[in-house]
Amino acid sequence: MPEALPDIPPGPLRSSPGEDLQARIHLLQGRRAREHSLPVLPALKAVLPGGLRPGAVYSLQGSMSLAMALLAGPSLQGAWCGVMGLPDFGIEAAAGFGVALERLVLVPDPGERWMQVLAAMADVLPVVLACAPARAAPAEAARLGARLRERGSVLLVAGHWPQSEAVLRVSGHEWEGLGQGHGHLARQELRLEVALRGASRSAVVDLAGRVPEDASAYRIGA
């Protein structure tokens, strides 16, 4: 079924029917562009086959490597990304996953204005990773969700969020390439428990080739 064209607010001057239709088409095309999903790394396509949905919130629990890998997908395609409320975020580890540091905005400490700072970042950045606040009221979460949908931004929350598109929890991991205090980290395999749109399942994600040497130092608390 064809999608209805969006309404154009009335203005003081009326355009011709052709110009009015062209404006409506441009608005519709802009809305569809915002609805276009953001890419994920090939290793994560089995977990998120449709990519990251604009306007959605994803709750991440158990591993900062997963958060960095999710940032890397859009970043490798030229997107700007933001990280808020994570003062120990390792930019070298993120770069190892493929996050472009020249397009990365860091706000280590948003202070007491967590929601306002996050909303401002979501207004201009397509992907934002943020530490979960100590408490998020349902009404505040709903307002932020509406803001994300309006802007078409994706929010990755390190921790619990009351209105998430999906919850990805790392229940275990295996490392390869590290010996007794020596060697190079060559592979990280994550065991995930995924709750996506009411359906739950388990998955194993192999981040081979996208693992920086210091990735094991970062963890997200559940």
Side-chain angles (χ1 to χ4, degrees), residues 90-180:
I91 58 173
E92 292 183 1
F97 278 100
V99 176
L101 301 184
E102 67 272 17
R103 293 192 302 275
L104 181 65
V105 178
L106 298 175
V107 181
D109 183 8
E112 298 181 357
R113 298 171 59 84
W114 189 95
M115 199 68 70
Q116 294 90 332
V117 174
L118 180 57
M121 294 180 71
D123 278 350
V124 296
L125 301 173
V127 189
V128 179
L129 167 65
C131 181
R135 180 180 178 275
E140 290 181 326
R143 286 195 294 270
L144 180 60
R147 188 76 162 265
L148 293 170
R149 290 189 294 273
E150 178 185 356
R151 300 298 184 182
S153 301
V154 172
L155 174 60
L156 306 173
V157 176
H160 174 72
W161 186 256
Q163 300 178 10
S164 299
E165 168 83 359
V167 178
L168 290 79
R169 189 176 76 85
V170 177
S171 58
H173 55 79
E174 294 182 3
W175 306 89
E176 290 185 7
L178 289 178
Q180 297 297 324

Side-chain angles (χ1 to χ4, degrees), residues 6 18 37 40 70 84 87 118 120 125-126 143 150 182:
S37 64
V40 296
L70 286 170
M84 190 197 82
L118 180 57
L125 301 173
R143 286 195 294 270
E150 178 185 356
H182 60 84

Side-chain angles (χ1 to χ4, degrees), residues 19 57 96 111 130 139 146 187 213 216:
E19 292 172 340
V57 181
R187 176 175 177 151
E213 292 186 14
S216 60

Side-chain angles (χ1 to χ4, degrees), residues 28-101:
L28 181 58
Q29 288 176 337
R31 185 169 67 188
R32 284 177 174 169
R34 292 195 301 270
E35 292 173 352
H36 185 69
S37 64
L38 296 177
V40 296
L41 295 178
L44 295 171
K45 286 184 178 180
V47 177
L48 298 169
L52 297 172
R53 187 173 65 84
V57 181
Y58 297 83
S59 175
L60 314 177
Q61 302 174 7
S63 172
M64 187 59 72
S65 293
L66 175 61
M68 293 178 178
L70 286 170
L71 283 178
S75 183
L76 285 167
Q77 298 299 316
W80 280 77
C81 301
V83 178
M84 190 197 82
L86 293 165
D88 296 328
F89 183 82
I91 58 173
E92 292 183 1
F97 278 100
V99 176
L101 301 184

